[in-house]
Amino acid sequence: MIFSSLLFIYAFFPVSVLLYYITPAKYRNYALFVLNIAYCGMCGLSFLIFMILYTLWNYAFGLICGSLRKHKFLSGAFAFIGIAADALAFLVLRENMLDVYVGRFGFIGSIAPIGISFTVLSAVGYLLDVCRERISAERNILNFSAYMMFFPKLPMGPLVGYARFRSMLKNRIMGLSEVGAGASLFIKGLAKKVIFADNLYMLYSAVSSMDVKELSSLSAWLGVFSYSFCLYFMLSGFSDMGEGIARCFGFRLPKSFKYPLLSAGLNDFCRRWHIPVMNWFNRYIVRAVSKKLPYRAVKYFLIISVWGLIGLWYDFSVNKLVWGLLIGVAVFVENLLKNKKPLRSTAIIYTFALTSVCSVFFFGSSLSYSFHYLFAMIGGNSSIADSGSLYLLKSYIVLLLVCAYASTDMFRNLIERSKMKWLKKTVEILTPPVIVGLLIICTIELSYTGESEMMLSILREAV
């Protein structure tokens, strides 16, 4: 059950918030536990069983590591065992490697939902923090299960450290204003996914269905732009939905995206794209190794190799690895040339162009396909434009322009910096009916089209 399904929007979400608020304050952790169990159960019985066992496993190893703090070698050894098991679970579930052995029993099919990558990073980060004595091991199983099974962040994050989550758990911000703000954020995220991402995916599907060796340059670029915008609005949409749901329950989760398509440079892009994930790899790998080996050459090697790991985190494929390494090399080169700062407008253009070209490896089914696609982008197929590409451009140019504008913070900055009080007042008055209108449009879209399995396959590959 994903957030953009009608079952979740009109049944599970409102009922869960209502039950949570009518529960006396001292029992709300129990109510949250029941809701988390219910959500996991609706994703599949096998997934529920896995999440319970996975939570108990990391809870137990956290306690063991915490109790052995005076014996650093033993604490590290048990942390290694726990993390190795987490990594193995990640490898198995992302690639369904057990299908060969137990697939015939119908057990694996529904274990690995969208977002298993975030669950594993949360568990590994928790064990590392306990082992390094950054936090104390959690003894309350209800609190720990809330961290591991908190359903608003299960499908798409955002990733949050246990220390921060424990603080939110103790200092929840409750009230109707929070529910209203959370619901509005949820609907905005839903609109990103249903109105923008789903329609952009139709353009990407039309281009990807063509023979790459006969693809015109215009069609190839339309495919790249549609995929880049589609991926951004889909991931940020689901992240916004998760943040909105969490806010209804009194939790303020961190933002995952900060208008990355408007980045002025690759380093800026890294600070804006999947922010909690980037912070996780930076904290637990780059900083940890840099402290032990404080050499510039090691730092640059880490930048490139970590981006390669990030690519593999998205999906175990050569293409994703190449995508990550290309981004890492580009960041490395930019760091070498950091004294030569280009104009902001120039930096935005080259960053968007470079990340768009790299995305060819992200969505490509093979290296051969990606190189053929790049060849088509530069007009290598002896065709700049054809009737098909011109038809697609005419059909989707308005949507692409709207998405390009919506992927920036221009409107928000205009309102915040405006000294015209009437403009701000008008926006405040129009916001509620606009939110309701977006919900109605999304409902109509979902009623007619439902969820695209191919669209969900892209989402699974991305997280």
Side-chain angles (χ1 to χ4, degrees):
M1 180 174 62
I2 63 173
F3 295 159
S4 57
S5 67
L6 293 175
L7 175 62
F8 182 87
I9 297 169
Y10 289 104
F12 189 86
F13 182 23
V15 170
S16 63
V17 172
L18 178 62
L19 290 175
Y20 185 74
Y21 271 83
I22 64 175
T23 303
K26 62 180 180 180
Y27 297 118
R28 279 187 180 145
N29 278 359
Y30 294 96
L32 190 59
F33 175 76
V34 171
L35 293 172
N36 291 336
I37 290 291
Y39 180 84
C40 291
M42 294 184 74
C43 290
L45 179 60
S46 53
F47 174 61
L48 172 60
I49 295 172
F50 165 75
M51 283 304 300
I52 292 174
L53 294 177
Y54 194 73
T55 299
L56 291 174
W57 171 270
N58 285 282
Y59 172 73
F61 271 84
L63 288 178
I64 294 171
C65 292
S67 63
L68 294 173
R69 281 186 170 180
K70 294 181 180 179
H71 308 279
K72 291 190 177 295
F73 177 79
L74 288 176
S75 177
F78 276 100
F80 175 80
I81 294 171
I83 292 170
D86 289 335
L88 180 62
F90 178 60
L91 291 169
V92 169
L93 296 181
R94 279 302 298 263
E95 294 304 298
N96 284 336
M97 291 164 59
L98 288 183
D99 274 345
V100 177
Y101 305 103
V102 297
R104 60 184 179 275
F105 299 110
F107 182 71
I108 290 297
S110 58
I111 277 190
I114 294 170
I116 190 66
S117 309
F118 294 94
T119 303
V120 173
L121 288 187
S122 296
V124 172
Y126 168 74
L127 291 180
L128 285 173
D129 284 343
V130 171
C131 181
R132 295 173 181 175
E133 300 186 18
R134 289 176 175 169
I135 61 172
S136 58
E138 180 57 68
R139 297 185 177 277
N140 188 316
I141 186 63
L142 274 180
N143 290 348
F144 187 73
S145 67
Y147 174 66
M148 291 297 296
M149 302 174 68
F150 190 45
F151 77 86
K153 69 181 184 68
L154 268 185
M156 190 62 65
L159 197 62
V160 58
Y162 189 71
R164 185 170 180 178
F165 185 84
R166 182 158 51 188
S167 176
M168 288 188 287
L169 199 61
K170 293 178 180 178
N171 303 288
R172 276 169 274 196
I173 306 171
M174 310 288 290
L176 289 178
S177 61
E178 289 298 299
V179 174
S184 296
L185 183 56
F186 174 84
I187 294 171
K188 291 176 184 176
L190 181 67
K192 283 184 178 181
K193 192 271 177 187
V194 175
I195 298 175
F196 291 153
D198 284 3
N199 286 291
L200 286 165
Y201 179 72
M202 294 173 66
L203 172 56
Y204 167 71
S205 296
V207 174
S208 61
S209 64
M210 301 176 185
D211 186 350
V212 70
K213 295 181 180 179
E214 299 178 1
L215 205 61
S216 69
S217 179
L218 178 57
S219 293
W221 279 102
L222 285 174
V224 167
F225 290 148
S226 62
Y227 186 87
S228 298
F229 283 125
C230 174
L231 186 65
Y232 166 69
F233 282 111
M234 183 171 55
L235 295 181
S236 64
F238 272 104
S239 296
D240 287 349
M241 284 188 268
E243 291 172 42
I245 298 165
R247 188 161 181 174
C248 290
F249 289 93
F251 295 81
R252 296 280 186 93
L253 297 180
K255 296 291 292 182
S256 291
F257 296 88
K258 191 178 180 181
Y259 305 103
L261 302 184
L262 196 66
S263 302
L266 269 298
N267 282 287
D268 192 31
F269 174 81
C270 297
R271 289 189 289 268
R272 292 167 176 255
W273 177 267
H274 248 159
I275 300 169
V277 176
M278 299 299 111
N279 289 342
W280 191 97
F281 280 94
N282 186 49
R283 178 180 183 181
Y284 294 107
I285 298 180
V286 176
R287 291 181 187 173
V289 177
S290 296
K291 285 183 179 179
K292 301 292 184 182
L293 300 169
Y295 306 107
R296 180 175 295 182
V298 173
K299 179 182 178 181
Y300 289 148
F301 172 77
L302 280 173
I303 290 173
I304 298 173
S305 58
V306 163
W307 266 102
L309 285 175
I310 291 171
L312 292 175
W313 176 77
Y314 280 113
D315 184 41
F316 298 124
S317 68
V318 176
N319 268 50
K320 293 295 193 300
L321 174 62
V322 171
W323 169 82
L325 292 176
L326 287 174
I327 296 290
V329 169
V331 172
F332 164 68
V333 172
E334 187 177 280
N335 285 333
L336 290 180
L337 302 174
K338 60 184 177 181
N339 293 328
K340 300 178 180 180
K341 295 182 178 180
L343 295 173
R344 178 173 175 80
S345 57
T346 305
I348 291 173
I349 293 171
Y350 96 77
T351 303
F352 182 75
L354 185 58
T355 52
S356 296
V357 170
C358 289
S359 70
V360 174
F361 292 94
F362 196 95
F363 67 71
S365 56
S366 66
L367 287 179
S368 175
Y369 177 89
S370 297
F371 283 119
H372 278 109
Y373 199 100
L374 288 172
F375 190 63
M377 289 172 67
I378 59 175
N381 292 334
S382 301
S383 176
I384 302 300
D386 53 24
S387 59
S389 62
L390 292 174
Y391 173 78
L392 290 175
L393 178 63
K394 180 181 177 181
S395 302
Y396 287 94
I397 183 62
V398 174
L399 177 63
L400 287 171
L401 290 175
V402 170
C403 288
Y405 181 78
S407 65
T408 72
D409 57 353
M410 292 181 183
F411 181 75
R412 189 189 67 173
N413 289 340
L414 175 66
I415 300 303
E416 290 181 351
R417 296 173 183 175
S418 175
K419 296 181 179 179
M420 296 179 287
K421 294 182 179 180
W422 66 266
L423 180 60
K424 295 181 179 180
K425 191 66 177 179
T426 301
V427 172
E428 289 178 4
I429 294 172
L430 292 179
T431 296
V434 168
I435 292 294
V436 173
L438 288 175
L439 179 60
I440 293 172
I441 293 172
C442 291
T443 301
I444 294 171
E445 286 269 350
L446 290 171
S447 298
Y448 278 96
T449 61
E451 286 295 342
S452 168
E453 285 301 317
M454 292 182 68
M455 179 77 168
L456 292 179
S457 69
I458 284 187
L459 185 57
R460 290 188 180 95
E461 287 183 1
V463 294

